[in-house]
Amino acid sequence: GAVRGAVRTLCLAALLGALGAGGTELTLELPDSAQRCFHQELESGVKFTLDFQVISGGHYDVDCYVEDPNGKTIYQETKKQYDSFSHHTELKGVYTFCFGNEFSTFSHKIVYFDFQVGDEPPILPSMNKRVTALTQMESACVTIHEMLNTVIDSQTHYRLREAQDRSRAEELNGRVSYWSVGETLILFVVSIGQVMLLKSFFTEKRPSSGGA
């Protein structure tokens, strides 16, 4: 009972650590010919990671760039469907990252991004100060914690793929529906035209009566 309770407590700590990692996840709508920027104040010597993916819209591409507090561009890509960028800050201040859809004149985009700051804290408070090997329970909880992180990353990846595939399927379904309606209207017009043409061939023309 006591051992099971300790294992449950450690595993719960691992679960909370996996779910409570620092960062921001957002899904935003990017209109055509528009740009959206975000700002984050960071200390020097801090690692941050930016992951993004276009879920729907146009050719599923977007521009992205990151600037440091001095306005220097430290990352820039154009017409990317997805990408990941990591950087260790050298300056303290406000960092800016922007998503641009300025090259598109009619396609709205849906963009998902994940902005993580700093390294993940240890799941056990005393892990960094330990000089002895981890116990079997602690090692098991570390393994569970790593597996949970892998599961969360996989779930996010498959959720984005499912949203992207659903968007493509809905777009394809709309095109097929419009094409089917267009074909139906064309067939209807052609059928009426053929009926009218054949009817004109077999219509008797009455001779006109002349006065004596």
Side-chain angles (χ1 to χ4, degrees), residues 25-46:
E25 294 182 68
L26 287 177
T27 302
L28 62 98
E29 181 179 358
L30 193 60
D32 54 283
S33 303
Q35 179 177 275
R36 294 283 180 86
C37 293
F38 299 86
H39 309 277
Q40 179 67 44
E41 185 173 1
L42 300 174
E43 299 290 334
S44 61
V46 175

Side-chain angles (χ1 to χ4, degrees), residues 52-72:
F52 68 90
Q53 180 174 341
V54 181
I55 301 176
S56 66
H59 296 288
Y60 300 89
D61 53 358
V62 72
D63 296 340
C64 181
Y65 69 87
V66 181
E67 292 183 348
D68 65 8
N70 291 336
K72 178 183 177 182

Side-chain angles (χ1 to χ4, degrees), residues 200-208:
S200 65
F201 288 159
F202 295 99
T203 300
E204 295 183 357
K205 294 184 178 180
R206 295 181 180 181
S208 57

Side-chain angles (χ1 to χ4, degrees), residues 136-204:
Q136 185 175 0
M137 286 189 301
E138 291 172 342
S139 299
C141 288
V142 170
T143 302
I144 292 173
H145 176 71
E146 294 175 351
M147 293 176 64
L148 285 173
N149 284 334
T150 303
V151 169
I152 292 173
D153 292 339
S154 299
Q155 287 179 338
T156 302
H157 172 72
Y158 287 118
R159 186 171 65 250
L160 293 176
R161 288 291 301 272
E162 188 272 336
Q164 189 178 69
D165 293 341
R166 184 174 64 251
S167 175
R168 289 180 176 176
E170 291 175 353
E171 182 181 357
L172 181 60
N173 179 67
R175 292 183 178 180
V176 171
S177 299
Y178 290 140
W179 182 256
S180 300
V181 172
E183 285 186 334
T184 302
L185 292 176
I186 292 174
L187 290 175
F188 186 71
V189 172
V190 170
S191 300
I192 293 178
Q194 289 179 343
V195 170
M196 297 296 293
L197 182 61
L198 291 175
K199 185 178 180 181
S200 65
F201 288 159
F202 295 99
T203 300
E204 295 183 357

Side-chain angles (χ1 to χ4, degrees), residues 6-7 10-11 14 123-127 130 132-145:
V7 172
L10 291 174
C11 291
I123 60 175
L124 300 176
S126 60
M127 184 174 293
R130 297 276 304 264
T132 59
L134 298 177
T135 65
Q136 185 175 0
M137 286 189 301
E138 291 172 342
S139 299
C141 288
V142 170
T143 302
I144 292 173
H145 176 71

